[in-house]
């Protein structure tokens, strides 16, 4: 494989007269392919199959590389194998049927921990509505709830002595979610304080009742959280109840949480849905490294 790479790079430089930057980019990409194939026990170009190259494309995407990067790698190895066929080293080109990566949905947007802290501190807790909003945002971030699960949370499903909530999610499936000390403390304060003001006769089943009856609506809370984002200097389009859920999952994984545990807390039926947050965490770490490392400046 080493000789094949050297032969192609020499051809690219001399015969095709590609620029030094282009040749160096091909060299980096093909060196990574060589390492990947070596890990599969493949040392010679003749042993490479289409399935190996497809697996390499999947590897690139799974390790957080974007669609454009994966497409660039595909272009590099297709040029290599075409060259080897023209030179008579190979009878067939294994890269011919390797498809370009499908269009990927954008990764979920995540707030930084500093932005989350600023957002949670924004409500005026001395007011009834501010106390309610602060408690709701703390639950979203600490428990990773969907906003529909949050607004429909019933008082009978609080298990604060055990640090748990019984949540009804999609498809009416129930799951137990740990609250964490900060969310538990916020809930205890709300249930014994602000909620009693909203429902002095304790007739409402909801943790967050509306003054007009029923529970606070998703739309009303969505509007409130946008206002708090503006108050603390965060672009309102970057903040929503669901983005606090995204931030919950990503920050847990960044701190070493088990993927299966995060899946259970989020209520995902399929772990592949949860795995998107591993890509978010890797991309965030890559950006931090690129922005902070002295050789990246």
């Amino acid at each position: 494989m080493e000789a094949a790479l050297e032969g192609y790079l020499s051809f690219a430089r001399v015969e095709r007269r590609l620029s030094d930057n282009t040749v160096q980019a091909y060299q980096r990409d093909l060196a990574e392919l060589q390492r990947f194939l070596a890990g599969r026990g493949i040392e010679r170009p003749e042993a490479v199959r289409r399935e190996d190259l497809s697996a390499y494309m999947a590897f690139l995407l799974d390790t957080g590389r974007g669609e454009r990067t994966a497409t660039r790698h595909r272009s590099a190895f297709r040029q290599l194998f075409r060259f080897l066929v023209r030179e008579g080293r190979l009878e067939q080109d294994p890269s011919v049927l390797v498809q370009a990566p499908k269009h990927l949905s954008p990764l979920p947007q995540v707030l930084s921990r500093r932005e989350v802290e600023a957002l949670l501190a924004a409500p005026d807790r001395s007011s009834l509505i501010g106390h309610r909003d602060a408690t709701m945002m703390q639950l979203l971030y600490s428990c990773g709830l969907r906003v529909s699960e949050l607004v429909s949370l019933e008082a009978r499903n609080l298990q604060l002595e055990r640090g748990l909530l019984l949540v009804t999610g999609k498809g009416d499936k129930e799951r137990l979610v740990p609250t964490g000390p900060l969310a538990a403390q916020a809930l205890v304060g709300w249930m014994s304080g602000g909620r009693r003001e909203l429902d002095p006769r304790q007739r409402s089943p909801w943790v967050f009742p509306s003054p007009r009856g029923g529970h606070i609506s998703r739309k009303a809370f969505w509007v409130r959280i946008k206002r708090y984002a503006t108050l603390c200097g965060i672009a309102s389009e970057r903040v929503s109840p669901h983005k606090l859920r995204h931030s919950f999952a990503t920050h847990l994984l960044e701190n070493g949480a088990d993927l299966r545990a995060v899946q259970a807390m989020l209520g995902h039926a399929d772990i592949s849905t949860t795995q998107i947050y591993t890509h978010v965490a890797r991309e965030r770490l890559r950006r931090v490294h690129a922005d902070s490392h002295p050789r990246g400046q």
Side-chain angles (χ1 to χ4, degrees):
M1 184 67 74
E2 189 72 33
L5 294 183
E6 290 179 1
Y8 168 68
L9 293 173
S10 177
F11 167 79
R13 187 180 295 108
V14 177
E15 299 293 331
R16 297 189 61 197
R17 298 185 179 180
L18 299 181
S19 70
D20 289 342
N21 287 340
T22 300
V23 173
Q24 289 170 9
Y26 277 157
Q27 185 174 19
R28 287 192 299 269
D29 291 351
L30 293 172
E32 185 167 4
L33 171 65
Q34 182 182 10
R35 290 191 294 272
F36 175 83
L37 294 173
R40 295 168 71 93
I42 299 170
E43 300 287 348
R44 298 176 61 81
E46 296 83 356
V48 178
R49 301 167 303 161
R50 178 177 62 84
E51 292 79 6
D52 300 314
L53 298 176
S54 296
Y56 179 61
M57 297 297 289
F59 163 78
L60 291 173
L61 296 175
D62 193 47
T63 52
R65 258 66 71 88
E67 180 184 349
R68 291 178 62 183
T69 299
T71 300
R72 190 194 72 216
H73 279 253
R74 174 176 173 265
S75 176
F77 67 64
R78 289 190 73 182
Q79 294 290 341
L80 167 67
F81 287 106
R82 285 174 183 171
F83 166 77
L84 293 176
V85 169
R86 284 197 301 267
E87 292 292 302
R89 287 281 306 273
L90 297 178
E91 292 184 4
Q92 293 184 332
D93 182 350
S95 70
V96 169
L97 298 178
V98 177
Q99 296 183 354
K102 295 179 181 179
H103 177 70
L104 300 176
S105 300
L107 293 179
Q109 290 188 357
V110 174
L111 299 174
S112 70
R113 295 175 203 184
R114 182 176 297 179
E115 288 172 326
V116 170
E117 292 300 327
L119 192 63
L120 296 182
D124 177 8
R125 288 170 171 77
S126 65
S127 72
L128 178 61
I129 299 303
H131 188 186
R132 179 201 67 191
D133 294 346
T135 305
M136 294 180 75
M137 288 196 295
Q138 184 68 62
L139 275 177
L140 278 180
Y141 179 64
S142 294
C143 306
L145 303 183
R146 300 178 178 93
V147 67
S148 58
E149 297 168 348
L150 175 71
V151 299
S152 62
L153 188 62
E154 296 187 41
R156 65 186 177 89
N157 290 333
L158 303 184
Q159 301 180 20
L160 298 181
E161 69 285 351
R162 299 174 59 197
L164 295 171
L165 305 176
L166 181 62
V167 176
T168 302
K170 289 184 176 180
D172 291 329
K173 292 182 180 179
E174 294 184 335
R175 70 183 189 280
L176 283 171
V177 180
T179 59
L182 292 178
Q185 182 181 356
L187 269 174
V188 168
W190 169 250
M191 296 300 290
S192 61
R195 185 178 181 278
R196 288 183 179 274
E197 292 184 50
L198 281 176
D199 182 32
R201 296 185 181 182
Q202 299 293 288
R203 291 181 176 177
S204 174
W206 314 111
V207 174
F208 301 106
S210 168
R212 292 184 291 274
H215 57 66
I216 182 174
S217 70
R218 293 185 299 172
K219 183 177 180 180
F221 183 61
W222 185 87
V223 171
R224 300 289 301 173
I225 204 171
K226 294 285 186 181
R227 289 178 182 172
Y228 292 124
T230 301
L231 278 176
C232 55
I234 305 172
S236 62
E237 64 270 13
R238 295 191 56 238
V239 178
S240 69
H242 210 66
K243 286 174 185 174
L244 278 177
R245 176 173 159 92
H246 292 327
S247 302
F248 158 85
T250 303
H251 294 169
L252 278 179
L253 290 169
E254 286 179 343
N255 283 316
D258 178 73
L259 187 64
R260 289 285 183 185
V262 176
Q263 177 193 8
M265 286 186 277
L266 291 173
H268 287 161
D270 191 332
I271 197 168
S272 65
T273 308
T274 317
Q275 284 176 326
I276 188 66
Y277 296 110
T278 66
H279 301 318
V280 178
R282 287 169 185 160
E283 177 63 17
R284 278 163 53 82
L285 289 174
R286 185 195 65 76
R287 288 201 305 268
V288 168
H289 181 273
D291 292 342
S292 305
H293 196 282
R295 294 301 293 268
Q297 302 301 314

